[in-house]
Amino acid sequence: PNEGKNGFGLGAHIIKEVAQHPNAVLVAIGGSTYESLKRNLPTESIDVQRYSIGEMEALFMQPDIDLVIISSPASSHLAYIQLGIKHN
């Protein structure tokens, strides 16, 4: 499935695994800022759309995303789940 991704602790590892999986296409990632996206995941070799925290709703609105992996702090999970439901 096509996947969107948000967050970077364990998330950086998850992103690399998803990007290398033969049955998945990583199409988007999200993070606090564009600077943190570049610093925590230098992905010149991975062509993905990047979203800052203020743009998370836009990530969830992408029609080509089939699955979103949320690896942000637990306190943000409900808001992201609600965005997923809203745009499903």
Side-chain angles (χ1 to χ4, degrees):
N2 292 333
E3 302 185 22
K5 177 75 188 68
N6 178 38
F8 290 101
L10 178 59
H13 173 73
I14 293 170
I15 288 171
K16 290 174 186 173
E17 292 296 319
V18 170
Q20 295 174 359
H21 194 283
N23 297 323
V25 178
L26 184 65
V27 296
I29 57 175
S32 300
T33 64
Y34 290 112
E35 293 77 25
S36 71
L37 290 170
K38 289 179 184 178
R39 181 178 61 249
N40 294 316
L41 187 69
T43 56
E44 293 80 22
S45 63
I46 302 172
D47 183 26
V48 297
Q49 182 67 39
R50 292 168 173 81
Y51 296 89
S52 69
I53 199 159
E55 302 169 316
M56 286 299 119
E57 187 157 9
L59 184 150
F60 283 88
M61 293 172 65
Q62 296 305 308
D64 61 341
I65 294 178
D66 302 316
L67 171 70
V68 174
I69 300 170
I70 301 170
S71 64
S72 58
S75 61
S76 67
H77 289 187
L78 178 60
Y80 293 137
I81 291 167
Q82 290 171 328
L83 282 174
I85 292 168
K86 178 180 176 182
H87 295 293
N88 183 13

